[in-house]
Structure formats: C-alpha cells, structure tokens
Amino acid sequence: MHTIFLIIKREYLVRVRKRSFVIMTILGPLLIFAFYAIIGWAAVSSIDQKKVAVVDESGRFTNQFKNDEETTYSYEKQPLSVAKKSFVKQGYDALVFIPKDVIERPKTVQIFAQKSVSLDLQNNIERAIGKEIETIKLSEAGITQKVIEDAKVNVDAQTINLSDAGEKNSNAIATTIIGYFCAFLIYISVFIYGTQVMRGVMEEKTNRIVEVIISSVKPFQLMLGKIIGVALVGLTQFLLWITLTIGLFTIGGTIMGDKVDRGRQAMQTSGAAGAMAQGPASAEVKKTQESAVASVMRAIDTLNIPLIVACFLFYFLGGYLIYSALFGAIGAAVDNETETQQFMFPITLPIIGAIAVAQFVIRDPDGPLAFWTSIFPLTSPVVMMVRVPFGVPGWELALSMVLLILGFMGTTWLAARIYRVGILMYGKQVSYKELSKWVFYKG
C-alpha cells in the first residue's frame, strides 16, 4: 500500500507542478468565460431591428402589426410594382405583399428582399399575419376583440415534488440543465484524463523507463498508482475550475445584465413608436428581467445541491477509474498511438452511447431505458447524473453505486492482466486474440 501511495504522490505532483497545468487551470475558466462573454456581448450589441415594408392590398392589416425588438413595420400605399423598385433604397430589409384574398388563401403572401431573408424574420412576419387573420375570423364570427384578448392566457404552472419528507418545489428547466451539464463534464473528463493515463503508460513503455520501475514495484501497483494519481489531478483541476467559473460568471452576469438592460432600452427608444412607448415599455422590460433573475434563483433553490455535488464526485471518480484502467491497458499493449485506434473504439462506444441516451433520459428520467443504463457500470456515470436532479429512489442510487464499484474492480483486474504482460512487450502487432491470451496467462 505504501508503494502505491508513493506512485500516486509522484504522478500527482509531477503533473500538478507542470507549468501547463497551472496555466490551463487558471486560463480554463477565463477562456470559457471570455468565450461566452464575447458571444453574449456580440449578440446584445448586434441586435438590429429589421425594417419591413407592407403593401396591404386587402386594406385590413394596415397599422395592425405590432412592432417589437426584432421587427418594425411600415405601410406603403403605393402599388406593389412601384414598392418593389424603391423599398431597398428606402432602407427596408424586406417587402411584404398581402393580397386581397389573403383571408381565404393565406399561402398567397409574398416576401421580397434583396437577399434571402433569415428564418427568424420570415417566422416573425408569418406569425404576425397569421395572428391577425385569426383575429379577423374570430371577429367575423361575432367574437369581440375584448373576448379574444381575455381568452389569451399564459399558464405558468408551479411544480411540486411530494415525498415522505413533505412538499418541495421543483423546476424542470433547472433539473434538466444541471443534470445534462454534470453528465457532459463526466463524459469529457473520461476522454481527457483517460487519454492522459494511456499516453503516460505508452511513453514510459516506449522510453524503456518502465523496465527500471518494474524492478521495484509490481505492474498492478504501478498501474493503480498512475490511475489514482491522474484522477486526483483531474479532481483538483475540476474543483478549481468550478470555483473560478462561479466567481467569474457571478461578476460577469451583473455586467452583462446591465448591458442587456441598456441595449433593450435603446431599442425601445428607436423610431417614433418606440419613443412614444418608452416609459411603460422600459418598466415592463425591467420587470421582466427582475422576474427572470428571481426565477433563476428560485430554480437553484429547488435543487438538492449537496446530493448533486456528492453524486458528481462519486460518478466522476467511478467513471474515470473504470475507463482509465481500460485506457491504461491499451497503452501497455501497443507501441505507438496509431495502434490504439483499433482498441479504443469498443471501449469508448459505451460512454459515447451514454451521452446519446442521456438526451432521451431527460424526456423520461424514470423509464426502463433510463433505469437500465443508469445501473450498467459503463454507462451509469453519465446517465445517472442526468437522473439525480430529477430525484432517484435511494435503492436505485445505491444499486448503481455498488455496481459501479464492482465494475471498477472487474475492469481493473482485467486491465492488470493485460498490463503485466503488455508493458514489457515490444515490437509485436497485438490483436484481440493475443489480448485474450494475456488475460488468462498464468505465468
């Protein structure tokens, strides 16, 4: 045990003291923050209202479309043929032609533009016309505008979990985002740190350093020490990333919130209609933003954060240990990175399948697919993390954890059998048949 601890210490300190580790630990959150900050800043700064000219041949849609943050409408009284020649010079992004019989034939609407219109702009125009046609038809049926407006109700249901401990609020959006984010982190970490183990083993083998090391320690001790050492490096880096990222996004969220507020207020003041509606519109925007921030805070409060963090650490380590043992066996079996491809695919297939299955598990976290993939050791680290924020029965969580531990013990035994022979094998093309012989080799 003392020997394994020394190997773990050596693997941990060698990697943590590297300049690349320190730089990436600090730069990682900064780069992620900068990436999203630039995208957010660009998205807010590049918001540009599209100006749409409307030629209403029916005369029933003039001044009926409401301007919003994305689209403003102007109504032309000139013929379509004249409007088509001049709308670009007048600064319009698109020209909409509404024929006389649009109520009976809604598919006869035409949108003209110098370039192809974006899908969002087309959807906005179609939605505005469709809404007005619906209003006209209801009015003709004897339903007044007041009844129509009163009938439009936005339902915002409150979700509550019932358990033996009592009632507790929940939030489907928060559970979905947190669950998938944690699962994706584990998915990425398996490849990043598992590959580090494989390359470390391969490097020691090709440099013949392992021949010296193996004279003092057993192959199993060397492999286990290397796996656990790299795991601690990954865990250290993740914890530092999470701490720095939370701090950066907390500060950045406040700055970007002010920027969004100023951007929206500026758009509210653009144009005559915007100027007239600035007072109440700005108040409504501010109220909406405050409601959104409060909603996010309430969503976070509904989650069982201690349980999610504890499960993340367990499944991060469990998933990494299983796959890094297999990656280590591959590194011991081959002489160069080119030969690793034929062995990596069957090993990585379950984890790739798990992240694909996770998208379906989000839709039905308690279904048979979710249950079986969350207890199978090769897929449980990803799938169970998707399910945990939704709430998982204690016995299912315990069963999954026990099987994950047994899975690690089984894969470590298998990898050790391959490692002890392959680590000293040079210049031989290894096949699956050869690997199976190494597993049952009794020498």
Side-chain angles (χ1 to χ4, degrees), residues 37-344:
I38 291 172
I39 291 178
W41 187 277
V44 172
S45 302
S46 63
I47 293 176
D48 183 24
Q49 282 184 316
K50 299 298 182 182
K51 298 180 180 179
V52 178
V54 180
V55 176
D56 180 18
E57 196 175 56
S58 67
R60 308 182 69 173
F61 296 85
T62 303
N63 298 322
Q64 296 300 312
F65 300 143
K66 294 181 179 179
N67 297 336
D68 55 27
E69 297 174 359
E70 299 178 359
T71 315
T72 58
Y73 298 93
S74 298
Y75 302 88
E76 300 291 333
K77 298 187 180 299
Q78 54 191 352
L80 177 61
S81 57
V82 177
K84 284 195 294 184
K85 296 178 181 179
S86 60
F87 83 96
V88 175
K89 295 180 181 178
Q90 293 175 357
Y92 293 112
D93 296 289
L95 171 66
V96 178
F97 172 66
I98 303 177
K100 290 182 180 179
D101 57 349
V102 67
I103 305 297
E104 294 77 22
R105 300 170 61 198
K107 293 185 179 181
T108 56
V109 175
Q110 294 178 312
I111 302 175
F112 301 92
Q114 189 177 23
K115 300 178 181 179
S116 296
V117 297
S118 66
L119 183 60
D120 284 342
L121 179 58
Q122 181 180 345
N123 288 337
N124 288 341
I125 294 171
E126 291 175 348
R127 186 163 52 248
I129 296 174
K131 183 179 178 181
E132 288 304 318
I133 291 176
E134 179 182 342
T135 302
I136 290 171
K137 287 187 175 182
L138 290 173
S139 298
E140 290 177 348
I143 301 175
T144 63
Q145 186 66 30
K146 185 177 184 306
V147 174
I148 295 173
E149 293 299 328
D150 291 342
K152 296 176 181 177
V153 179
N154 291 326
V155 177
D156 187 8
Q158 181 181 10
T159 55
I160 301 172
N161 290 342
L162 297 176
S163 63
D164 295 336
E167 298 182 359
K168 182 180 179 181
N169 291 336
S170 64
N171 187 290
I173 297 177
T175 53
T176 300
I177 293 175
I178 293 296
Y180 194 83
F181 179 72
C182 291
F184 189 75
L185 278 182
I186 293 175
Y187 169 76
I188 291 296
S189 68
V190 165
F191 284 99
I192 293 177
Y193 299 109
T195 304
Q196 282 189 19
V197 172
M198 183 183 70
R199 288 176 177 171
V201 171
M202 205 181 331
E203 182 181 355
E204 290 179 352
K205 177 181 177 180
T206 54
N207 292 339
R208 302 294 179 97
I209 298 175
V210 72
E211 294 180 1
V212 178
I213 300 175
I214 215 73
S215 63
S216 303
V217 300
K218 296 179 180 179
F220 175 77
Q221 294 175 326
L222 179 61
M223 186 191 73
L224 191 61
K226 186 177 289 292
I227 290 172
I228 297 176
V230 176
L232 294 177
V233 173
L235 194 58
T236 302
Q237 196 166 49
F238 263 119
L239 291 175
L240 291 173
W241 276 352
I242 291 170
T243 303
L244 292 173
T245 301
I246 291 174
L248 288 171
F249 274 91
T250 300
I251 298 171
T254 305
I255 297 174
M256 287 302 298
D258 295 339
K259 174 64 178 176
V260 170
D261 186 45
R262 290 195 299 270
R264 289 187 175 181
Q265 288 180 357
M267 287 190 296
Q268 291 289 345
T269 60
S270 63
M276 294 174 61
Q278 180 187 2
S282 298
E284 185 66 26
V285 169
K286 185 175 181 180
K287 182 179 179 182
T288 302
Q289 289 177 340
E290 291 175 350
S291 176
V293 172
S295 177
V296 171
M297 296 305 297
R298 286 196 301 270
I300 295 175
D301 290 339
T302 63
L303 299 174
N304 189 343
I305 299 298
L307 176 63
I308 293 174
V309 172
C311 288
F312 175 79
L313 294 177
F314 179 84
Y315 283 103
F316 167 79
L317 289 173
Y320 161 78
L321 291 173
I322 281 184
Y323 281 96
S324 61
L326 297 175
F327 276 116
I330 293 175
V334 301
D335 292 335
N336 56 72
E337 209 161 326
T338 304
E339 296 178 11
T340 63
Q341 303 306 315
Q342 61 172 322
F343 299 111
M344 284 185 65

Side-chain angles (χ1 to χ4, degrees), residues 320-391:
Y320 161 78
L321 291 173
I322 281 184
Y323 281 96
S324 61
L326 297 175
F327 276 116
I330 293 175
V334 301
D335 292 335
N336 56 72
E337 209 161 326
T338 304
E339 296 178 11
T340 63
Q341 303 306 315
Q342 61 172 322
F343 299 111
M344 284 185 65
F345 178 72
I347 290 176
T348 58
L349 190 60
I351 196 73
I352 294 173
I355 199 67
V357 167
Q359 302 176 48
F360 299 97
V361 172
I362 288 174
R363 299 165 62 181
D364 185 12
D366 296 315
L369 178 64
F371 172 76
W372 290 110
T373 52
S374 64
I375 65 171
F376 181 58
L378 295 179
T379 56
S380 63
V382 170
V383 178
M384 184 55 85
M385 277 314 305
V386 175
R387 297 185 62 199
V388 166
F390 288 94

